[in-house]
Amino acid sequence: MRDHPIPPVTEPLQYRAIGVVRGVYTPHDDEQLTRGVLTDSAGNALETVVLGRVMTLMRRHLSMDQPHLWVVYPRCRESDHLHLQIAGIWEPSTLSPDAADLTDSLPEGDDYFSVRGELIFTKPETGDLVIKVRQQPRADGSRPLPFKLQIKGELPLEHLRHFVSLDLRRQGQELHLESHEVMAPMPTRGGKSKSGRGQASRRARN
């Protein structure tokens, strides 16, 4: 077991969108356990789906009426509505009781998100950003479509069409920018970036 639920970056221009949210997951009904809501301590209800590999873990090991720190992939289907995909759980005390050096809390705190992708929209005067994230090809070789995340924060217009790495904090139904790093210009259609660094990696770790 790793000492952190969010894996380290292995490539400078590696796409990803991943975070942690603490809350109680409640399915919509007993027949469809993979769809429900994740309710945080403030009462915010986040639309959520559970990825298949997590369901067995939830049934066997977790008290579902208690809050847990879930590892999630964020999506924004509406501007003021965050959608989550549960991909795992961070709870060493339950799942790895022998790992005495691991705790159930993280240094970044709850509601931390790491998003890496292309800045395709920024409006500093209103504090709105949009990041495009590409995903890894699936096992069958098909390529999922990129998705866009709407974020609250200010980035200068000169960073448009650049690959950026963002540290975010969830507040209710929104992801808010805490810090950022501009990695490189994105490649142009000719295959080279403005600085001549070549193409960005198209693999995402989410």
Side-chain angles (χ1 to χ4, degrees), residues 19-135:
V20 291
V21 174
R22 190 179 300 277
V24 177
Y25 174 74
T26 307
H28 286 317
D29 60 65
D30 293 337
E31 300 298 322
Q32 185 73 321
L33 297 178
T34 58
R35 293 185 179 274
V37 294
L38 188 59
T39 306
D40 65 15
S41 60
N44 294 296
L46 305 162
E47 284 294 323
T48 303
V49 298
V50 181
L51 300 184
R53 60 183 179 269
V54 186
M55 187 55 65
T56 300
L57 182 70
M58 293 168 62
R59 286 171 170 164
R60 291 181 179 177
H61 300 287
L62 302 182
S63 299
M64 294 309 298
D65 59 344
Q66 298 296 316
H68 302 282
L69 188 60
W70 303 101
V71 183
V72 298
Y73 301 148
R75 299 290 189 272
C76 295
R77 296 178 177 173
E78 303 170 38
S79 60
D80 58 349
H81 200 74
L82 191 61
H83 179 86
L84 302 177
Q85 299 176 355
I86 291 180
I89 182 175
W90 182 255
E91 197 167 299
S93 64
T94 299
L95 303 178
S96 300
D98 295 335
D101 57 332
L102 298 180
T103 68
D104 292 350
S105 59
L106 297 173
E108 296 87 354
D110 294 354
D111 297 305
Y112 167 77
F113 283 77
S114 171
V115 171
R116 298 169 59 88
E118 180 185 358
L119 179 65
I120 62 171
F121 176 85
T122 179
K123 194 173 183 180
E125 58 267 33
T126 61
D128 292 301
L129 313 171
V130 178
I131 304 295
K132 182 165 70 174
V133 181
R134 296 184 183 274
Q135 302 180 75

